[in-house]
Amino acid sequence: MESNDLRIFRAVALEGSITKAAQMLGYVQSNVTARIKQLEAELKTQLFYRKHGMILTPTGEKLLPYAVQILHLLDEAHKALNDSDKPTGRLAIGANHTVSSLQLPQILSEYHKAYPDVDLSLTTSSTDELIYKILHFQLDGAFVKSSSFIDDNIVEELVYEENLVLISSPETDDIRTACSKPFLMNTIGCPNRVNLEQWLNAEGINNIRYMEFNNLDFIIEGVMADLGVSFVPQSAIQRYETKGLLKSFSIPPQYSTSKTFFIRHQDTLMTSALAKFIETIESKTPYHQIAH
Amino acid sequence: MESNDLRIFRAVALEGSITKAAQMLGYVQSNVTARIKQLEAELKTQLFYRKHGMILTPTGEKLLPYAVQILHLLDEAHKALNDSDKPTGRLAIGANHTVSSLQLPQILSEYHKAYPDVDLSLTTSSTDELIYKILHFQLDGAFVKSSSFIDDNIVEELVYEENLVLISSPETDDIRTACSKPFLMNTIGCPNRVNLEQWLNAEGINNIRYMEFNNLDFIIEGVMADLGVSFVPQSAIQRYETKGLLKSFSIPPQYSTSKTFFIRHQDTLMTSALAKFIETIESKTPYHQIAH
DNA sequence: ATATGCAATCATTTTACATGATATCTTTTT
DNA sequence: AAAAAGATATCATGTAAAATGATTGCATAT
């Protein structure tokens, strides 16, 4: 019993006539006769009384609601897939710990408001793990900091460029004094920290001490309390600096520029849910260009 | 998109592999590949990522639940039809006014208790209309009084034989006196009335007056109040006669025998619901034999 | 009694499905 | 780095099921 058998069965049942059903379906009458007889043989039961027309037997009446529902579902399924203007389904996004706290909540919130039918999921993990999941199609895309991923299957898009500054308590006189204090930083592997170390190296500053914090607010509070110094997005501390709660020092752009990328598999199916997500990213950020 | 396409799609989605799905379905690998590609072409969308295995795309994930449900319903439908030991569905029974009030409620009640999953429907109307509905498969069967229906498509079965008696008030001396009173009878067309008239004719009694009642209890009350006489099943008045509330007179069996038949179309599909109904009738009545 | 409307039958064509062998690509093993 | 293993894609070919067109036969209506 296949769905087309049920389509023919339904037509005959509703029309009460093989001839009319055949016209409706665009078949020739003899074919409809054959299909119905075949269905009756397969189900080992009579579905119609033939009385100069076709009248459902009690068994046929049992089958009809199933036929109607199954055909309706087939129709629904077709619509659900082809109705691709309306973003629906699941959208699995990943993010490195470094990016999740700042722009991402805004982007997700705005996207969810615009497209509430999409089930958003956010996975926060290390960049390596994010890349693995993208290569295995477990994520539709991810926000990461570092670029150039070797793998040809990954396409990346710059979505945000931030300026990192060295921050310290207001009393600090100069950069070198600041650098003698402990650095309140994220755990190893954070790209900001890699940049920082490169600069410190270039300046010939060694003997650096770290204190590990994985929360930006804690870090800022710690710096204001003169627990140590840090290296954070300028935008995140602007309001504290204007109030005189801390002091910031700029370092050369090749070290201070932090780039956020949206990466995805080059073969990801561009669903409307994903397309609209990328649109949302772009609308929130002045920068965007395709790399690789 | 037909159900077999979905069956193949489901297997590939669940196995994550065309090769395994093919083994499971008893197909050769290349066929499964072709079916999936064809389905993707028909739906104009990609359903799987190919990464040394098959991984559902977001669109594929949308389709899967439909496929699962549709295939489940097909299975259900098949079971519902072949599970013919268990009476279910609708059973449309008809009855002439004459029979509906006595044995029928008992039969229906007993049947419903035994097979509560059958939707019983009872249509009370004239014998002619009952026969029309049976010939057009609008009723699965009907209880009627008169026999021999000319139409070859109707089969009949005797289910009940009753003895009709002439009843009158206790003071009535003999049959002829009784017959001078008005007859309280059902409307024209009632087979009992036909029998009665045949006997009266044979006895040479004319000038009969009728009063029409379509309720047996009213008739009996009327007779006890000496409003007139009547011609009713002996079983219905037995308890009144033993109390001396009325008197009954027998007439020859060729006129007094009232037969109830269960008739149906010879081509009615013998569902288990109908078979069990006929069993119930037979168990309630000592008489049963196939006629015609 | 005749004509009409409808389903059944059957020989034939057409289409879609299934197969088997082979190519191609990816991942794992050596 | 090379080879083997494991997976899907492609293609020519075979096969079975579906669809057609013409005709027959039955039941209803005029």
Side-chain angles (χ1 to χ4, degrees), chain A residues 203-223:
Chain A
E203 293 290 310
I205 302 172
N206 299 310
N207 281 341
I208 306 149
R209 284 169 299 151
Y210 287 112
M211 296 181 74
E212 301 209 335
F213 284 69
N214 63 5
N215 181 304
L216 187 61
D217 290 328
F218 285 178
I219 289 175
I220 293 171
E221 291 294 331
V223 170

Side-chain angles (χ1 to χ4, degrees), chain A residues 1-4 6-7 42-43 45-47 49 51 55 57-59 61-63 66 69-70 73-74 76-78 80-82 88-90 135-137 140 153 265 267-269 271, chain B residues 1-4 6-7 42-43 45-47 49 51 55 57-59 61-63 66 69-70 73-74 76-78 80-82 88-90 135-137 140 153 265 267-269 271:
Chain A
M1 179 168 50
E2 293 302 316
S3 51
N4 200 42
L6 294 182
R7 193 169 292 115
E42 181 191 339
L43 297 175
T45 184
Q46 192 181 341
L47 295 171
Y49 296 120
K51 179 85 181 171
I55 301 167
T57 62
T59 314
E61 271 171 9
K62 269 195 214 170
L63 180 58
Y66 285 100
Q69 198 190 347
I70 287 168
L73 276 172
L74 277 168
E76 284 262 304
H78 206 276
L81 298 200
N82 272 25
T88 58
R90 191 161 174 271
L135 286 175
H136 290 75
F137 299 103
D140 295 303
N153 286 312
H265 198 294
D267 298 336
T268 36
L269 184 63
T271 60
Chain B
M1 178 167 52
E2 293 302 316
S3 50
N4 201 41
L6 293 182
R7 194 169 291 115
E42 181 191 341
L43 296 174
T45 183
Q46 192 182 341
L47 295 171
Y49 296 121
K51 179 87 181 171
I55 301 167
T57 62
T59 315
E61 271 172 9
K62 269 194 213 169
L63 180 59
Y66 285 101
Q69 200 190 347
I70 288 167
L73 276 172
L74 277 168
E76 285 262 303
H78 207 275
L81 297 200
N82 272 25
T88 56
R90 192 163 173 271
L135 286 174
H136 290 75
F137 300 102
D140 295 303
N153 286 312
H265 198 293
D267 297 336
T268 35
L269 184 63
T271 61

Side-chain angles (χ1 to χ4, degrees), chain B residues 163-168 174-176 179 196 199 203 230-232 234 237 241 247-257:
Chain B
N163 190 39
L164 298 178
V165 290
L166 211 152
I167 57 171
S168 176
D174 56 43
I175 283 188
R176 299 200 85 87
C179 290
L196 175 67
W199 174 71
E203 293 290 310
S230 190
F231 188 52
V232 299
Q234 199 266 331
I237 53 92
E241 189 175 17
K247 188 182 272 187
S248 76
F249 303 94
S250 293
I251 68 169
Q254 68 262 39
Y255 303 114
S256 69
T257 304

Side-chain angles (χ1 to χ4, degrees), chain A:
Chain A
M1 179 168 50
E2 293 302 316
S3 51
N4 200 42
D5 303 334
L6 294 182
R7 193 169 292 115
I8 294 173
F9 166 77
R10 181 184 61 174
V12 174
L14 297 182
E15 293 290 326
S17 153
I18 282 192
T19 308
K20 282 181 195 161
Q23 286 170 354
M24 172 173 250
L25 296 166
Y27 286 132
V28 88
Q29 170 260 320
S30 60
N31 188 42
V32 175
T33 298
R35 295 287 73 70
I36 293 291
K37 300 210 89 172
Q38 177 182 286
L39 184 59
E40 289 182 326
E42 181 191 339
L43 297 175
K44 297 185 182 58
T45 184
Q46 192 181 341
L47 295 171
F48 292 97
Y49 296 120
R50 272 85 167 165
K51 179 85 181 171
H52 201 249
M54 305 286 277
I55 301 167
L56 282 173
T57 62
T59 314
E61 271 171 9
K62 269 195 214 170
L63 180 58
L64 185 58
Y66 285 100
V68 169
Q69 198 190 347
I70 287 168
L71 294 167
H72 173 70
L73 276 172
L74 277 168
D75 214 50
E76 284 262 304
H78 206 276
K79 271 188 207 149
L81 298 200
N82 272 25
D83 197 8
S84 52
D85 296 339
K86 196 172 68 179
T88 58
R90 191 161 174 271
L91 189 66
I93 300 296
N96 188 280
H97 303 95
T98 331
V99 287
S100 59
S101 53
L102 283 166
Q103 294 76 31
L104 201 49
Q106 284 177 34
I107 292 174
L108 293 181
S109 160
E110 180 171 315
Y111 182 81
H112 178 68
K113 275 178 200 154
Y115 310 107
D117 290 338
V118 177
D119 287 335
L120 269 178
S121 97
L122 180 66
T123 303
T124 310
S125 62
S126 73
T127 301
D128 283 353
E129 206 168 323
L130 293 174
I131 288 174
Y132 176 87
K133 286 186 172 172
I134 283 184
L135 286 175
H136 290 75
F137 299 103
Q138 293 169 17
L139 288 175
D140 295 303
F143 293 92
V144 293
K145 285 270 169 175
S146 42
S147 175
S148 63
F149 299 97
I150 306 166
D151 199 310
D152 276 354
N153 286 312
I154 287 191
V155 290
E156 65 182 34
E157 188 171 352
L158 179 61
V159 292
Y160 207 87
E161 223 174 44
E162 289 175 304
N163 190 41
L164 299 179
V165 290
L166 211 153
I167 57 170
S168 176
S169 69
E171 299 79 29
T172 315
D173 289 334
D174 57 41
I175 283 189
R176 299 201 85 87
T177 314
C179 291
S180 64
K181 298 181 183 178
F183 277 87
L184 315 185
M185 297 294 285
N186 259 318
T187 42
I188 303 169
C190 162
N192 294 355
R193 186 161 156 176
V194 174
N195 279 354
L196 175 65
E197 285 174 351
Q198 286 175 350
W199 175 70
L200 290 169
N201 245 328
E203 293 290 310
I205 302 172
N206 299 310
N207 281 341
I208 306 149
R209 284 169 299 151
Y210 287 112
M211 296 181 74
E212 301 209 335
F213 284 69
N214 63 5
N215 181 304
L216 187 61
D217 290 328
F218 285 178
I219 289 175
I220 293 171
E221 291 294 331
V223 170
M224 292 192 294
D226 203 22
L227 179 63
V229 298
S230 190
F231 188 54
V232 299
Q234 198 268 331
S235 61
I237 54 91
Q238 195 158 349
R239 55 187 174 132
Y240 301 104
E241 189 176 18
T242 54
K243 286 182 188 169
L245 296 172
L246 46 72
K247 186 180 275 184
S248 77
F249 304 94
S250 292
I251 69 170
Q254 68 262 39
Y255 303 115
S256 69
T257 304
S258 165
K259 295 177 180 176
T260 299
F261 295 89
F262 184 70
I263 63 173
R264 56 185 175 86
H265 198 294
Q266 66 174 353
D267 298 336
T268 36
L269 184 63
M270 191 51 73
T271 60
S272 65
L274 180 55
K276 292 295 181 187
F277 188 75
I278 293 175
E279 267 182 34
T280 304
I281 295 171
E282 291 177 349
S283 75
K284 294 287 292 182
T285 60
Y287 316 92
H288 59 271
Q289 65 188 68
I290 306 294
H292 238 289

Side-chain angles (χ1 to χ4, degrees), chain B residues 165-185:
Chain B
V165 290
L166 211 152
I167 57 171
S168 176
S169 69
E171 300 81 27
T172 316
D173 289 335
D174 56 43
I175 283 188
R176 299 200 85 87
T177 316
C179 290
S180 64
K181 299 182 181 178
F183 277 85
L184 315 185
M185 296 295 284

Side-chain angles (χ1 to χ4, degrees), chain B residues 18-19 30 33 37 50:
Chain B
I18 284 192
T19 308
S30 62
T33 298
K37 297 212 92 173
R50 274 83 167 165

